[in-house]
Amino acid sequence: MRILKYLVFLAILLFGAGLVFIATSDSSYTITRTKFIKSPRNTVFKFVEDYSLWKIWFLGDDPTMKFTMKNSADSKPGFKWNGEAGNGEIFTDAIIGSDSIIQNIVLNEAPAKGYWTFKDSANGTLVKWRIVGTLSFKDKYSAALQGGAEHLVDRMYERSISVLQKTVSDEVRKYKIRIEGLSEVPAKYYLYQKITSKESDLNRNIRIMMTRLEYFADKNKITVAGDPFVVYNHEDRAKKLATISVCIPVTEEIFLVEPSDVFFHKLPGYKSVKTTVEGDYSHLAEARAASLKYIEKYNYKADFQTSRAEFYRNRSSSEKLPSKWKTEIHTPIGVNVAPEAKVTQPARAIRPQPTVSTPANDEFDL
């Protein structure tokens, strides 16, 4: 009996010593994971920047996961989750261009910091995710039994970034290009902003400018008359630069009071070859080339004096999955044939609103 008491006492001492060891052990960890994703940088970036898409890939093989979209106290986007793998929250701390994202993370009540970087690589994007944090006491205990902090936390982040890799690749691979033949782009009035940008940053800049134009129209009670579109004013293939006008159509002629970075113009109607792309914007270049081949095949005359217009019928601001985006490319041929737009209301003057203050992540990439 006395031996049994000694054994129980010894077990208690060992257990207490173990708790002391765990409590005083180093709880910090750094996890770094790098993946090559065969998709454009802007597409991969959006899957990480947009938290509504995290439910597709973050701990994607855990059916118990539940997500709740949240904003932090300073209105920065984020979400909370809970499931068998634990609970936590992630909020954006800063976004630098379309190259990096910094996040504040809480994992099982312990703080961490997340750092994402996105670099263009041959035929894709090199993605690095680094997490620096500390473990809660409960996680320190689990880590002691499972080989250390890195081993415990790494399983969660490794499987997440692996699912991200597969999800983005699968989404981008799904696309359709249809040459729909001759069409006509009717003349129309539109508001626009112009920018010269690197081709690699076009999609992000287009999204930012569309948002600002829609805000401008809403604040000035201007009726938007259809889907937004982009006019390609000039393209420098050698330098991989493009000068574009991002446009929203309006119902009436509008005189804008200077100074303003929003302008009014009228798109002349023109005859075109219409090509529809369903899928990620990375396939637009292939669709443009297909349009030119179609024009050559049927002996049409390409009109290089008229700027190409691309209409965003189902776009990334309303549809999250790239495979469901729909873009119409209208490549000009011949001469302008469509009738002039009719003014249904008298022209009116608009004094622009003060410049809209936007967070750092909405800065243009030039």
Side-chain angles (χ1 to χ4, degrees):
M1 189 69 179
R2 182 177 299 177
I3 295 176
L4 180 60
K5 289 181 179 180
Y6 284 144
L7 290 176
V8 171
F9 181 68
L10 181 61
I12 294 173
L13 285 177
L14 291 174
F15 179 74
L19 291 179
V20 171
F21 173 78
I22 292 172
T24 57
S25 62
D26 185 13
S27 62
S28 63
Y29 63 87
T30 298
I31 304 295
T32 301
R33 280 290 168 264
T34 301
K35 293 288 184 181
F36 172 76
I37 301 180
K38 197 174 181 180
S39 303
R41 175 166 55 91
N42 285 325
T43 299
V44 182
F45 181 88
K46 182 173 179 60
F47 262 81
V48 178
E49 178 194 27
D50 188 342
Y51 287 123
S52 66
L53 294 171
W54 278 57
K55 65 182 66 175
I56 302 174
W57 60 267
F58 183 62
L59 296 175
D61 57 352
D62 183 356
T64 68
M65 290 293 293
K66 295 181 180 180
F67 291 83
T68 305
M69 305 307 295
K70 295 283 187 179
N71 282 327
S72 62
D74 52 1
S75 297
K76 291 182 178 179
F79 72 95
K80 296 184 178 181
W81 80 88
N82 61 75
E84 290 182 358
N87 61 79
E89 57 186 60
I90 294 178
F91 292 97
T92 297
D93 186 37
I95 293 180
I96 304 170
S98 57
D99 301 312
S100 60
I101 299 174
I102 302 174
Q103 298 167 319
N104 291 320
I105 303 173
V106 177
L107 177 61
N108 294 331
E109 301 181 358
K113 204 81 173 179
Y115 303 90
W116 291 85
T117 58
F118 307 82
K119 293 184 178 180
D120 292 319
S121 184
N123 301 316
T125 306
L126 195 64
V127 182
K128 180 184 287 187
W129 191 13
R130 183 167 63 94
I131 303 95
V132 180
T134 57
L135 293 178
S136 65
F137 180 81
K138 179 180 178 181
D139 284 341
K140 285 173 69 175
Y141 178 77
S142 298
L145 299 176
Q146 298 183 41
E150 285 80 5
H151 181 72
L152 175 69
V153 179
D154 179 55
R155 290 183 303 167
M156 180 177 72
Y157 291 113
E158 169 61 27
R159 67 180 180 179
S160 293
I161 198 169
S162 295
V163 176
L164 171 67
Q165 180 186 43
K166 183 179 185 304
T167 301
V168 177
S169 298
D170 289 348
E171 270 297 307
V172 173
R173 278 199 296 265
K174 301 174 186 176
Y175 75 101
K176 296 178 183 178
I177 296 176
R178 294 194 305 272
I179 307 290
E180 301 192 21
L182 296 182
S183 182
E184 289 187 4
V185 177
K188 59 186 66 186
Y189 296 132
Y190 64 93
L191 298 175
Y192 74 97
Q193 287 184 311
K194 183 179 285 190
I195 189 174
T196 297
S197 167
K198 292 187 295 187
E199 290 180 352
S200 59
D201 293 320
L202 275 177
N203 291 333
R204 175 174 168 79
N205 288 335
I206 288 170
R207 176 167 57 86
I208 293 171
M209 294 167 73
M210 282 184 181
T211 300
R212 292 184 174 182
L213 283 170
E214 288 167 346
Y215 174 86
F216 179 86
D218 181 64
K219 294 298 280 187
N220 288 287
K221 296 180 172 53
I222 299 172
T223 302
V224 177
D227 295 315
F229 60 96
V230 173
V231 174
Y232 284 75
N233 306 111
H234 178 70
E235 296 175 84
D236 189 331
R237 297 298 186 190
K239 296 181 180 180
K240 295 185 178 181
L241 294 174
T243 300
I244 61 170
S245 297
V246 178
C247 318
I248 55 172
V250 295
T251 58
E252 60 178 319
E253 189 172 9
I254 296 172
F255 174 71
L256 295 167
V257 180
E258 295 183 353
S260 175
D261 62 351
V262 176
F263 305 93
F264 171 83
H265 198 57
K266 181 169 65 178
L267 178 74
Y270 66 86
K271 196 170 186 179
S272 71
V273 166
K274 176 182 174 182
T275 302
T276 300
V277 182
E278 292 183 10
D280 186 75
Y281 299 140
S282 61
H283 303 297
L284 294 181
E286 180 183 343
R288 294 165 193 148
S291 300
L292 294 176
K293 287 183 179 179
Y294 182 91
I295 290 172
E296 182 180 358
K297 178 180 178 180
Y298 289 97
N299 296 318
Y300 297 122
K301 182 180 179 181
D303 177 11
F304 295 107
Q305 301 302 312
T306 302
S307 299
R308 180 182 76 252
E310 296 179 355
F311 292 81
Y312 293 77
R313 301 304 188 193
N314 190 18
R315 54 197 175 101
S316 56
S317 62
S318 56
E319 173 54 59
K320 302 300 183 182
L321 297 179
S323 62
K324 297 182 180 180
W325 299 344
K326 184 176 180 180
T327 310
E328 288 181 5
I329 300 173
H330 287 268
T331 306
I333 61 172
V335 296
N336 294 345
V337 294
E340 292 294 310
K342 295 180 180 179
V343 180
T344 56
Q345 301 179 46
R348 60 191 178 104
I350 292 294
R351 185 175 298 279
Q353 297 290 322
T355 302
V356 183
S357 176
T358 55
N361 58 297
D362 273 352
E363 292 303 317
F364 295 125
D365 296 313
L366 302 176

